[in-house]
Amino acid sequence: MDPNNPNKDKRSTPEYALYQRENFWKPNTGEVPPFNTEPGKLEELAKEKLTQGGWYYASSNAGQSYTHLANRQAFYRHKIIPRQLVDTNLRDTSTTIFGHKVSAPIGFAPIGINKIYNPAGEIPVATVAKELNLPYCLSTAGSNPIEAVAAANGEGPRFFQLYMPHDDELTISLLTRAHNSGFTACILTTDTWQLGWRHDDVATGNYAFYRGIGADLGLSDPVFKKRLQAAGIDPEKQPKEAGAMWIDNVWHGRAHSWEKMPWLIKTWKDISGGKPFCLKGILSVEDAKKAVEIGCDGIVVSNHAGRQVDGAIASLDALENIVAAVGHKTYIMYDSGIRGASDVAKALALGAKFVWVGRLWVWGLSIMGEAGVRHVMKSLLADFDIFMNVGGFQNVKQIDRSALEIAKIDKPVYAEVDVLGAKNKVRE
């Protein structure tokens, strides 16, 4: 690729594709690319680097991994139709989400307990998100204080993902901290009142919070500190008990219902001055309509990457149904099973305005910390930039339903799944 291509200086977004050339050139200077970003090889290398508990938590899916498999099969069935002889020299990878112009329709999905992947936790992830101008979403199950993550993210666009306690004062405190720290949207996850049944985690008692690891976001909360004091728990001397009390307030196993949503939306809007509120975990058209009816500014179509309900509909299949029903009424985002630029494009073509990526950057964090996250996400941006170039798309809006064909499968689609249920290869 010509590094002196005059078009790169005329583009409205950087020539992310040059990261390919940068890696091709490295052997000439005695260097090598950091590591292979092919998803299967990423997983293998992460498994080598992580503890057993870290690997199991990152890779485990609900039940027999059928939902995880369904996600991959759905991407396999949808085929890109490239266009030729399109002038893509000035292509624009950017999009806008809730008033933020960002580098691409790609964001860092909310994933908890990052300290089991790297001692610095969420800090290096938020740092890279800022550098790349990609939205970062912090999980309530994060392992660093909200304020510390915000500081690392600087001026980057960031949102707060809420696992809502049944303690309203604690919920208000978390939302207030998020707003005061510059988080500009609240995304409530609706599918995880408790963790799904994940065999490997259960079989090994793999729950970091009960080991006293990763509860810093809660332990730094002023309201939760009062709760600890009232319970007679000293987090310095009793980290396991403190961690357990925190996560039992977050993944509490007690469902919330639609009746609670008006209070939550009003509370967030009052605290934030009217900033966006979204629901994550929506797969049903009926639920999507209800979300619009109660005033949600956006929804994330997601099956939690197959980690919550085994045998559920693929998020990509749900996306098309939901877009048809409410796509003109709310901002629709996608989450679950993204492994590369073509997956991002398929979700966009089916009507998502934005796509969240999770496990890819977790593997990078596990392998090489901040440098690993940077390599994975720069590679994904390069992949997306190249996809638009060779696929014939001048901007993100052109990636629409006309760019897809749904394959007619005359025989079953299977997958080869390893014993951990984390790696699969779809085949006919």
Side-chain angles (χ1 to χ4, degrees):
M1 182 176 187
D2 181 6
N4 299 312
N5 177 358
N7 293 307
K8 70 184 177 76
D9 297 324
K10 301 175 184 177
R11 288 182 59 182
S12 57
T13 51
E15 194 100 339
Y16 297 114
L18 281 173
Y19 193 57
Q20 181 192 62
R21 186 183 193 278
E22 181 181 327
N23 282 280
F24 283 161
W25 190 258
K26 283 183 183 294
N28 292 334
T29 56
E31 301 174 278
V32 293
F35 49 80
N36 194 325
T37 55
E38 190 280 320
K41 291 183 172 64
L42 265 182
E43 290 181 355
E44 291 170 2
L45 188 52
K47 183 180 177 183
E48 293 174 9
K49 297 285 187 179
L50 289 169
T51 63
Q52 181 190 67
W55 168 250
Y56 278 167
Y57 189 77
S59 64
S60 290
N61 303 303
Q64 298 180 72
S65 292
Y66 289 154
T67 305
H68 175 77
L69 170 58
N71 285 334
R72 295 310 309 150
Q73 288 177 326
F75 281 112
Y76 176 77
R77 290 195 314 271
H78 290 80
K79 309 294 186 181
I80 301 289
I81 306 172
R83 300 298 301 271
Q84 305 304 318
L85 297 176
V86 177
D87 184 355
T88 57
N89 291 310
L90 301 181
R91 62 195 177 277
D92 185 346
T93 63
S94 70
T95 194
T96 300
I97 178 170
F98 299 135
H100 302 281
K101 185 175 182 181
V102 295
S103 299
I106 297 168
F108 288 73
I111 293 181
I113 352 176
N114 285 189
K115 283 188 177 179
I116 66 176
Y117 310 125
N118 183 276
E122 291 75 18
I123 301 302
V125 188
T127 299
V128 173
K130 171 191 64 178
E131 290 177 9
L132 300 179
N133 188 34
L134 296 176
Y136 174 80
C137 193
L138 173 64
S139 169
T140 304
S143 48
N144 290 95
I146 293 172
E147 297 77 10
V149 177
N153 192 238
E155 297 302 314
R158 53 184 176 271
F159 311 142
F160 183 67
Q161 176 270 334
L162 177 66
Y163 287 120
M164 185 164 61
H166 277 272
D167 177 337
D168 288 351
E169 187 183 3
L170 179 54
T171 297
I172 291 169
S173 180
L174 291 169
L175 295 180
T176 300
R177 292 173 66 197
H179 168 66
N180 290 344
S181 297
F183 290 81
T184 58
C186 175
I187 302 177
L188 173 71
T189 292
T190 61
D191 61 10
T192 313
W193 312 130
Q194 68 182 83
L195 298 187
W197 188 265
R198 305 170 192 172
H199 292 288
D200 292 315
D201 286 331
V202 175
T204 56
N206 186 36
Y207 206 41
F209 295 104
Y210 283 10
R211 309 287 91 76
I213 300 168
D216 297 40
L217 191 151
L219 300 182
S220 58
D221 189 272
V223 171
F224 189 68
K225 287 179 180 179
K226 291 194 301 181
R227 303 293 185 263
L228 286 171
Q229 186 176 19
I233 296 175
D234 182 341
E236 295 294 327
K237 298 177 180 178
Q238 300 168 282
K240 295 176 183 176
E241 290 79 4
M245 184 172 171
W246 164 244
I247 202 60
D248 288 349
N249 269 272
V250 174
W251 292 329
H252 36 64
R254 297 161 56 201
H256 288 288
S257 67
W258 289 105
E259 286 70 27
K260 185 71 173 180
M261 293 304 98
W263 175 86
L264 179 59
I265 294 172
K266 182 179 186 304
T267 298
W268 168 248
K269 297 283 186 178
D270 288 347
I271 290 170
S272 67
K275 290 186 169 60
F277 177 89
C278 309
L279 295 181
K280 177 177 180 286
I282 302 299
L283 295 170
S284 155
V285 169
E286 290 74 15
D287 287 346
K289 290 178 178 178
K290 185 71 173 177
V292 171
E293 179 184 318
I294 65 172
C296 292
D297 301 290
I299 59 175
V300 183
V301 177
S302 170
N303 59 30
H304 217 107
R307 292 165 65 79
Q308 285 302 101
V309 177
D310 196 25
I313 185 174
S315 294
L316 200 70
D317 291 332
L319 174 65
E320 190 163 17
N321 299 333
I322 289 171
V323 168
V326 300
H328 58 297
K329 296 180 179 179
T330 193
Y331 190 89
I332 297 181
M333 298 162 277
Y334 178 86
D335 166 272
S336 297
I338 297 292
R339 294 293 180 268
S342 67
D343 291 346
V344 173
K346 289 173 184 180
L348 296 175
L350 289 174
K353 301 298 184 186
F354 193 83
V355 174
W356 296 100
V357 175
R359 277 176 168 146
L360 289 181
W361 65 256
V362 166
W363 303 141
L365 178 66
S366 305
I367 294 164
M368 202 179 282
E370 182 179 313
V373 176
R374 184 177 294 108
H375 178 52
V376 166
M377 296 306 284
K378 285 183 71 173
S379 296
L380 183 58
L381 281 173
D383 187 13
F384 188 65
D385 192 23
I386 291 169
F387 169 86
M388 290 182 64
N389 194 20
V390 300
F393 300 100
Q394 298 167 316
N395 55 61
V396 170
K397 289 183 179 179
Q398 290 182 355
I399 308 175
D400 60 19
R401 189 64 182 79
S402 67
L404 278 189
E405 178 176 283
I406 301 178
K408 297 177 177 62
I409 304 298
D410 297 323
K411 53 186 177 179
V413 179
Y414 303 96
E416 298 166 359
V417 185
D418 74 3
V419 293
L420 298 178
K423 176 184 174 185
N424 66 65
K425 179 166 53 178
V426 176
R427 61 181 174 85
E428 292 183 346

